[in-house]
Amino acid sequence: MTALTLSTAAVPGLRADAIVIGVAKGSASKPGGPVVAPGAEAVDQAYDGGLAGVLETLGASGAEGEVTKLPAPAGFKAPLVVAVGLGAQPEEDSGYDTEALRKAAGVAARTLAGSKKAAFALPLTDAADAGAVAEGVLLGAYSFDAYKENGKNGKNGKAPLAEAALLGGKPRDKAYKAAVERATAVAEELNRARDLVNTPPNDLNPEAFAAIAQAAAKEHGIKVQVLDEKALTKGGYGGILGVGAGSASGPRLVKLSYTSAKAKKHLALVGKGITYDSGGISLKPAGHNETMKCDMSGAAAVFAAVVAAARLGLEVNVTGWLALAENMPSGSATRPGDVLRMYSGKTVEVLNTDAEGRLVLADALWAASAEKPDAIVDVATLTGAMMLALGSRTFGIMANDDAFRSAVHEAAEEVGEPAWPMPLPEHLRKGMDSATADIANMGERMGGGLVAGLFLREFVGEGITWAHLDIAGPAFNEGGPFGYTPKGGTGSAVRTLVRVAELAAAGELG
């Protein structure tokens, strides 16, 4: 993990491999070429105030994600200046958006893979900006190298940026220090979630995932309980058992409990943890299996969020439920037409074994409901339909309470995770009626993401506020990296869950 420091050092005399500065596009009221952002004054002065012109000559426009490299001015200890685009210049005195800073820092950190130290002279107006830059650096510098022969998976085989100094920060200011410490805790746990998503399924089965959760819980003072096949059978968890029935790797239900002596609220988080999804007997077609190690992204997000809450010492009780199973076809696998008796006692006719995530979540939601939390949020790579609706970078939010849905949506937008509120149309519920069981696990094809949400709602305890995040799109990036988002596992929803927990602790959630 990249080491972070806050620094008030003068830019020219700072020993580093590179100085990172921001450059913006001219605003609507001030059109024109690129504009050098605050924080880079010393560099601009060394160019006699002509840095913007030099950057424009080199083709820079200030567009988001753009990187322009140029030699550092004479007399600077660092040999290189890296100008990274911030997007549109803000209007008068409004400051740069924290997400723009986060993205710019992430792009720069990824660009500087292989470097020992970089100084980030991006515009910092307050502690929130420092936290955004810190988070962007740590997330942008991420690489997954566990399976590389030379142990390096950064750009061109280079190791991640080793150290980042945040210039303009205030090392002795409590707010700045707290912002960087928060960013470090959240980013480290989010990167842990990314590692889990990227780990091949032959090494990350339900038992292995549970063991990792147990180790982290012990390290951070979190109470943990793991239900294996025997305990699940005794407890009547028919959904989890039914999904895992075809695999040689048995399912698990992991409960992580972080408690605070000052807590006034209890938040339950439930994550879908299908460590590999073949589709079961309803086998996925060719071309749809290769990335299905990512089907446990919801459980990874919940796991990371609970640990982050513990590390931050949030004054809220947070319980995480990881519903872990491997969905495989075999002679013992659940068949289309089978009926499962769920933990709630309700029966489900399985019409499609590839609609398995809702089955494991249903059991975990009912278990979470039994503790009567103030709110439940579940996270899952649940439906391809949500990807069709919202694309690959935005997750959908459904809820049984409009105010709570809005609060979760605002939390997601605040931390920079694109999300969109989605409805739960009552007319779609009828499509899941079954002549054989209480409900079927499939309904109308159109609006399939909403149908899945309606199914889950059936297993939320009466009177409990609940939201469902379908992260099927943004959980795994099959394209090239962008901003602070790498190729592969992204850690989607971790930051939203942490922010929701913070709002619950402050009594400001819905």
Side-chain angles (χ1 to χ4, degrees), residues 61-424:
S61 67
E64 181 184 294
E66 180 184 78
V67 174
T68 306
K69 296 181 181 180
L70 63 161
F76 276 53
K77 297 293 184 181
L80 180 69
V81 172
V82 176
V84 61
L86 290 165
Q89 182 186 20
E91 296 299 330
E92 295 291 338
D93 301 322
S94 62
Y96 284 86
D97 179 72
T98 53
E99 180 64 2
L101 294 175
R102 194 180 288 116
K103 288 179 178 178
V107 170
R110 186 172 63 253
T111 299
L112 289 167
S115 301
K116 292 183 178 180
K117 183 177 181 179
F120 284 72
L122 295 172
L124 302 183
T125 58
D126 55 24
D129 288 348
V133 172
E135 196 171 73
V137 168
L138 295 175
L139 297 180
Y142 171 83
S143 68
F144 183 68
D145 55 20
Y147 292 84
K148 293 287 185 177
E149 184 178 2
N150 62 1
K152 296 178 181 179
N153 193 37
K155 185 179 180 182
N156 299 323
K158 299 175 181 178
L161 173 65
E163 182 182 351
L166 275 57
L167 304 184
K170 301 177 181 179
R172 297 183 181 180
D173 186 292
K174 290 183 178 179
Y176 276 76
K177 289 174 64 177
V180 172
E181 289 171 358
R182 179 194 182 278
T184 300
V186 173
E188 286 182 351
E189 295 312 319
L190 190 152
N191 284 339
R192 190 207 297 259
R194 288 172 169 177
D195 283 348
L196 287 167
V197 175
N198 289 326
T199 299
N202 57 317
D203 282 345
L204 190 73
N205 59 25
E207 183 179 4
F209 196 149
I212 291 170
Q214 286 176 304
K218 183 178 181 180
E219 179 184 357
H220 296 288
I222 300 168
K223 185 178 179 181
V224 62
Q225 179 185 12
V226 178
L227 300 185
D228 59 13
E229 297 126 296
K230 183 177 180 181
L232 291 169
T233 300
K234 183 177 180 180
Y237 292 85
I240 297 175
L241 288 166
V243 173
S247 173
S249 300
R252 298 288 187 272
L253 178 62
V254 179
K255 177 185 176 184
L256 299 166
S257 302
Y258 161 69
T259 57
S260 168
K262 297 181 180 180
K264 295 182 179 180
K265 296 289 185 179
H266 177 196
L267 177 66
L269 307 176
V270 178
K272 172 187 173 183
I274 304 300
T275 58
Y276 182 74
D277 182 20
S278 70
I281 297 296
S282 305
L283 195 66
K284 292 180 182 292
H288 289 72
N289 287 288
E290 290 77 6
T291 61
M292 282 300 101
K293 64 181 181 180
C294 79
D295 215 19
M296 35 60 66
S297 295
V302 166
F303 169 45
V306 175
V307 177
R311 291 181 59 175
L312 295 172
L314 300 185
E315 295 178 1
V316 59
N317 293 336
V318 183
T319 305
W321 299 84
L322 316 181
L324 309 175
E326 186 178 58
N327 187 24
M328 296 289 286
S330 74
S332 60
T334 295
R335 297 154 291 226
D338 283 355
V339 173
L340 304 177
R341 184 169 296 278
M342 312 297 282
Y343 181 57
S344 68
K346 187 170 292 189
T347 56
V348 176
E349 183 181 11
V350 179
L351 298 181
N352 188 326
T353 63
D354 196 24
E356 85 298 329
R358 65 199 70 183
L359 299 175
V360 300
L361 285 173
D363 277 355
L365 282 168
W366 193 255
S369 297
E371 297 189 341
K372 303 295 181 183
D374 294 287
I376 298 175
V377 180
D378 78 69
V379 190
T381 47
L382 205 59
T383 65
M386 196 57 58
M387 296 179 67
L388 292 173
L390 299 178
S392 61
R393 297 191 184 184
T394 305
F395 62 75
I397 306 173
M398 286 156 264
N400 61 2
D401 180 272
D402 289 347
F404 187 61
R405 182 184 61 191
S406 296
V408 175
H409 180 217
E410 290 171 8
E413 294 293 327
E414 182 181 348
V415 299
E417 294 198 302
W420 197 251
M422 303 291 281
L424 289 173

Side-chain angles (χ1 to χ4, degrees), residues 264-265 314-316 499-509:
K264 295 182 179 180
K265 296 289 185 179
L314 300 185
E315 295 178 1
V316 59
R499 186 61 187 143
V500 167
E502 289 175 328
L503 291 170
E508 299 175 1
L509 185 61

